[in-house]
Amino acid sequence: MTKRLIALLLAAVALFTLTACNTKNKEAEDTILVVGVDATFEEKWNPFLVESAYDHQVVDQIFTSICSINDKNELEDFGGSIKTEEKDDGTVLYTITLKKNMKFTTGDPVTIDDYIYFLYVCADPSNTGPLQMLSSDIEGVKEYYYDDPNYSTTIAGFETEAGEKYSTETISFEDFLTYAKGTNLDGWWDGDVEYFSEYIAGEGEPYATELGEIDASNADAVLELTTKIEYDLYRDAYDTETWFLEKLKADYAFGNLDDGITVPTITGITRVDDYTCTIKYTKIDIYASRGLTTKNGFGNLVPKSYYGDYQKGDVSKILANMNPVGSGPYIWQGFADNIATCTANNDFFLGAPRTGTVRWQYIPQSDILSSLASGTIDIANPTGNKENVTTLDGMTNVRYDLLDNAGYGYLAMNTERVPLSVRKGVWSLMNRQPSVEGYYGTKIAHVIERPMTTVVAEYPADAKPYYEYSRDKALEFFTEAGYTNQGGKLVDNSGKQLVLNCYIGGSGKGEHPAYAMLVQAATDMEALGAELQIQDVDFNVLQGAMNDGTADMWIMAWGSVYDCDKTSQFHSTGGQNRYRYKDAKMDEYLETIVQTIDLKERKDLVAEMLDYAMDQCIEFPLYQRKNILSYNKDNLDMETIPTATAFYDYTAEIWNVKSLVPVGG
């Protein structure tokens, strides 16, 4: 099961729920609803790839899920249902049943084959989307992924080989060069031969002399010499062992397909009839029901007839399809000029939507309130800060709600690029409270002490600060990492200064609750002789640096978090583990938590896991905030806006929201 990666200001997940106010409309009215979105879209209009919550606001209205989450954070039937049966041998059998007579907008009926199709694409070794099934406990999924019924022995051998041959203590230069070329030196190398020539010369002899002996305009030659420096002096900063292990696994999986398919099916997935299947888990997973049925997991109903057949090991054509088709309340019309447009699906199984056209339009945060007041947009999530609340209080035609956000803000670390002691030193320079309160005030947000939203029951409410703000303590950690002050600069034993970057989505203006914290940290780093480079950029630039590994640190927020399961983020095989963090102890924590039914026992385990996460410096918790949901009362029938909670808002039943604005009006 995964949680969706979002930027700072998103409110709640777009999950559909049947409510009492739904009516069986025969045809949608010729009206238009405009939702203001305050960050650029990632433009992944694909149910297998969609990840940014800005994209999700759109894509989630195109598809139907089997179950949904209600306003009390409970699982409810929607396009189908799920039944759980625990077996005496410790396995668990889930029965998925779809509603009959649903159909896709292509006219094809929705059947269980479409659901099974979605599961198989997610389980394919070539799937690069965030929904990774390899870490699940579905019987036979690993055998299917590796195309080998006896995969476990081979994988164990790879783990031994990686440790013995590819650790930074044992790796050869030739293998390190392979790693450097395969990762662009962990995202550092960008082909700028002039920059890297200066870097090589700055490292002194014998490298400066060797630079004069190569063609410095040849990128391959400059990369190889740069790699030699990193191998000789800095290879401990790279995680070569994990990279080669994952490469061995991937090569193994695809290599097994070269001579044909040995494992054609996932044994734990069984088709019963046109509307029913069973899924067998090898052990208890308390979140499996949600993971299998909601849009936060594998619950989307995706038309196999439209997305097409594929050969196992190559789902590239499916992932490349950016024209989504489903059976949800709205039909995709296209994206242009930063506007995504959908029109009503009059054949939606709960009845035609009340509003005929919905547009999601990018509006800079600085223009959100004025756009609401003028009626340019009808619904939006203004930044939850004290200034906006004051402004909204003075707007007579705008209503707003404050509600706890099912998520939290955090500072993330690229654990491959930044050694542990350095991470601890940096965290000791993050003075959160003045930054958060200066931006939000005291009513909209508060500092939290562990990387988990406080809306879930397992959050350790009595947690104390793990790292106190202290320049002296930071210096102790940097010293522990091998840095000393030489000539006013904090350098390692080769004379290389400590320089880190941090990406933050302040749109170049510092408009972010963590920005003042970073400025203070940069000042402290400078005083210690180090450098923190603040990259204040648009969200899509931040996400790109996070995904390609060039960011040492980044500020983000999770949203749509309804449980304590951190598997997707912290597990070695997690689909959203952008921290590049691999740790057997953490994996064991996560695997145990999702099997622990007793709430008190699970709370204790979660507290231990979060303490360990803090010790490992994966995610530094910043704040828990409230969302502002705002509506133009003149443009909407406010009786059709549902009461919002941390788990539920208008997006959960957008087909019931009635606009009063005619198309073209």
Side-chain angles (χ1 to χ4, degrees):
M1 173 172 156
T2 71
K3 302 179 180 72
R4 307 295 191 190
L5 184 63
I6 69 169
L8 176 66
L9 304 168
L10 190 72
V13 68
L15 291 172
F16 305 133
T17 294
L18 176 59
T19 64
C21 67
N22 182 65
T23 58
K24 281 279 188 178
N25 305 310
K26 292 182 179 179
E27 190 170 326
E29 296 182 27
D30 192 22
T31 52
I32 184 168
L33 171 67
V34 182
V35 179
V37 177
D38 65 335
T40 52
F41 295 96
E42 197 177 4
E43 300 180 46
K44 291 183 178 179
W45 316 117
N46 183 296
F48 298 98
L49 289 180
V50 60
E51 187 168 15
S52 159
Y54 301 106
D55 292 1
H56 260 291
Q57 290 193 54
V58 182
V59 174
D60 283 356
Q61 306 304 331
I62 296 166
F63 295 92
T64 299
S65 59
I66 293 167
C67 294
S68 60
I69 304 297
N70 67 16
D71 59 350
K72 298 179 180 64
N73 194 22
E74 300 165 336
L75 192 68
E76 287 189 345
D77 295 352
F78 189 65
S81 62
I82 185 168
K83 183 178 71 174
T84 305
E85 183 182 0
E86 295 182 20
K87 300 291 187 178
D88 292 339
D89 61 358
T91 62
V92 183
L93 191 68
Y94 297 93
T95 300
I96 306 289
T97 304
L98 301 186
K99 292 182 184 295
K100 296 181 180 179
N101 301 319
M102 292 190 296
K103 62 181 180 180
F104 295 109
T105 54
T106 58
D108 295 322
V110 179
T111 73
I112 203 68
D113 295 317
D114 299 299
Y115 172 64
I116 293 173
Y117 172 79
F118 190 82
L119 297 179
Y120 268 86
V121 173
C122 291
D124 196 87
S126 65
N127 172 38
T128 58
L131 292 169
Q132 298 287 329
M133 196 174 286
L134 184 62
S135 60
S136 78
D137 294 313
I138 296 175
E139 180 187 85
V141 74
K142 293 179 176 63
E143 288 84 351
Y144 179 82
Y145 179 89
Y146 292 116
D147 201 50
D148 183 355
N150 302 306
Y151 75 94
S152 58
T153 300
T154 303
I155 297 300
F158 289 155
E159 291 170 349
T160 299
E161 179 182 353
E164 293 178 349
K165 187 176 179 181
Y166 300 116
S167 72
T168 52
E169 292 81 14
T170 60
I171 192 169
S172 67
F173 173 71
E174 289 73 18
D175 287 332
F176 191 82
L177 183 59
T178 298
Y179 163 83
K181 292 178 178 178
T183 66
N184 287 326
L185 269 174
D186 198 22
W188 183 33
W189 170 261
D190 62 0
D192 186 344
V193 293
E194 182 177 347
Y195 169 84
F196 281 94
S197 293
E198 291 177 0
Y199 169 71
I200 293 167
E203 289 298 312
E205 297 300 338
Y207 311 111
T209 297
E210 293 180 41
L211 178 63
E213 297 172 350
I214 66 171
D215 179 359
S217 66
N218 184 302
D220 290 338
V222 175
L223 172 59
E224 184 165 347
L225 184 50
T226 303
T227 300
K228 182 178 180 182
I229 293 172
E230 299 305 294
Y231 178 79
D232 291 346
L233 305 178
Y234 310 118
R235 67 175 181 265
D236 285 345
Y238 297 91
D239 188 1
T240 51
E241 181 177 341
T242 297
W243 186 81
F244 273 102
L245 175 58
E246 295 306 312
K247 185 176 186 302
L248 287 168
K249 289 179 179 179
D251 291 347
Y252 167 59
F254 285 104
N256 284 337
L257 293 172
D258 288 344
D259 58 355
I261 297 172
T262 303
V263 182
T265 61
I266 300 171
T267 58
I269 301 175
T270 303
R271 185 187 192 278
V272 177
D273 57 39
D274 286 349
Y275 299 98
T276 312
C277 75
T278 60
I279 301 176
K280 184 179 180 181
Y281 269 58
T282 57
K283 54 188 176 183
I284 293 173
D285 181 339
I286 60 174
Y287 300 118
S289 294
R290 294 188 180 215
L292 291 171
T293 61
T294 68
K295 288 179 179 171
N296 260 3
F298 304 105
N300 274 323
L301 297 172
V302 172
K304 177 181 179 181
S305 58
Y306 172 75
Y307 283 91
D309 290 326
Y310 65 95
Q311 183 72 23
K312 181 181 177 182
D314 184 9
V315 298
S316 57
K317 289 184 178 179
I318 297 171
L319 300 184
N321 188 335
M322 293 298 166
N323 291 296
V325 168
S327 58
Y330 283 93
I331 302 171
W332 172 256
Q333 296 299 320
F335 179 79
D337 300 323
N338 278 318
I339 300 173
T341 303
C342 291
T343 54
N345 175 14
N346 289 325
D347 293 325
F348 180 48
F349 79 99
L350 291 177
R354 286 177 165 170
T355 296
T357 300
V358 179
R359 289 178 182 160
W360 290 263
Q361 180 173 345
Y362 168 62
I363 301 289
Q365 185 60 229
S366 58
D367 297 333
I368 286 284
L369 294 185
S370 60
S371 297
L372 271 169
S374 67
T376 303
I377 57 177
D378 307 314
I379 303 177
N381 305 115
T383 301
N385 60 34
K386 52 191 178 183
E387 291 81 11
N388 281 350
V389 169
T390 299
T391 302
L392 285 164
D393 284 337
M395 297 173 121
T396 58
N397 67 331
V398 175
R399 190 194 96 186
Y400 73 93
D401 298 325
L402 292 178
L403 62 150
D404 289 330
N405 181 50
Y408 60 96
Y410 64 92
L411 180 150
M413 302 295 288
N414 184 331
T415 63
E416 283 185 353
R417 288 174 67 95
V418 187
L420 180 57
S421 292
V422 173
R423 301 200 298 267
K424 291 184 176 184
V426 170
W427 280 19
S428 299
L429 295 176
M430 296 298 164
N431 194 9
R432 299 168 296 163
Q433 189 161 335
S435 186
V436 172
E437 289 189 2
Y439 186 85
Y440 283 120
T442 57
K443 295 182 179 179
I444 301 294
H446 62 275
V447 169
I448 57 174
E449 302 302 343
R450 296 296 182 270
M452 182 170 287
T453 177
T454 60
V455 304
V456 300
E458 291 86 352
Y459 179 83
D462 59 347
K464 300 295 188 292
Y466 206 94
Y467 297 89
E468 297 283 2
Y469 170 64
S470 169
R471 188 185 291 179
D472 291 340
K473 191 65 179 176
L475 183 57
E476 288 182 23
F477 284 124
F478 293 148
T479 302
E480 182 181 296
Y483 287 90
T484 57
N485 195 303
Q486 296 181 19
K489 289 187 176 182
L490 200 62
V491 298
D492 61 16
N493 56 13
S494 66
K496 188 176 182 180
Q497 186 182 23
L498 176 59
V499 178
L500 299 171
N501 65 55
C502 184
Y503 283 73
I504 185 170
S507 300
K509 302 175 183 178
E511 295 177 352
H512 197 289
Y515 188 78
M517 177 189 75
L518 291 185
V519 171
Q520 178 63 59
T523 299
D524 292 333
M525 290 277 281
E526 183 179 12
L528 293 173
E531 182 180 354
L532 176 60
Q533 301 170 342
I534 302 174
Q535 303 292 332
D536 185 5
V537 296
D538 289 337
F539 174 66
N540 59 329
V541 177
L542 183 159
Q543 192 162 39
M546 174 189 70
N547 288 337
D548 68 19
T550 55
D552 297 322
M553 299 180 282
W554 60 93
I555 304 286
M556 288 281 279
W558 290 113
S560 309
V561 179
Y562 304 116
D563 56 60
C564 67
D565 183 14
K566 299 290 292 184
T567 300
S568 180
Q569 293 84 48
F570 292 172
H571 197 282
S572 296
T573 61
Q576 292 179 315
N577 184 349
R578 300 308 198 288
Y579 325 101
R580 292 162 170 78
Y581 179 72
K582 314 287 184 182
D583 184 85
K585 182 177 179 180
M586 176 59 75
D587 292 350
E588 184 178 357
Y589 268 129
L590 298 169
E591 292 161 8
T592 304
I593 286 168
V594 297
Q595 298 177 64
T596 304
I597 297 173
D598 181 78
L599 179 58
K600 183 182 183 305
E601 186 179 350
R602 189 166 68 250
K603 279 186 173 183
D604 291 342
L605 278 170
V606 168
E608 288 182 28
M609 180 272 292
L610 292 175
D611 282 351
Y612 186 60
M614 294 296 292
D615 179 73
Q616 295 292 291
C617 300
I618 311 168
E619 271 186 4
F620 189 47
L622 299 181
Y623 56 84
Q624 172 76 47
R625 66 176 175 86
K626 292 182 182 294
N627 291 313
I628 300 178
L629 297 185
S630 52
Y631 318 89
N632 184 300
K633 296 188 294 184
D634 295 340
N635 290 356
L636 301 170
D637 179 348
M638 297 305 295
E639 295 295 323
T640 66
I641 302 293
T643 301
T645 73
F647 311 103
Y648 193 89
D649 69 7
Y650 74 93
T651 61
E653 50 177 278
I654 197 168
W655 67 91
N656 270 323
V657 176
K658 183 177 181 180
S659 170
L660 304 177
V661 180
V663 171

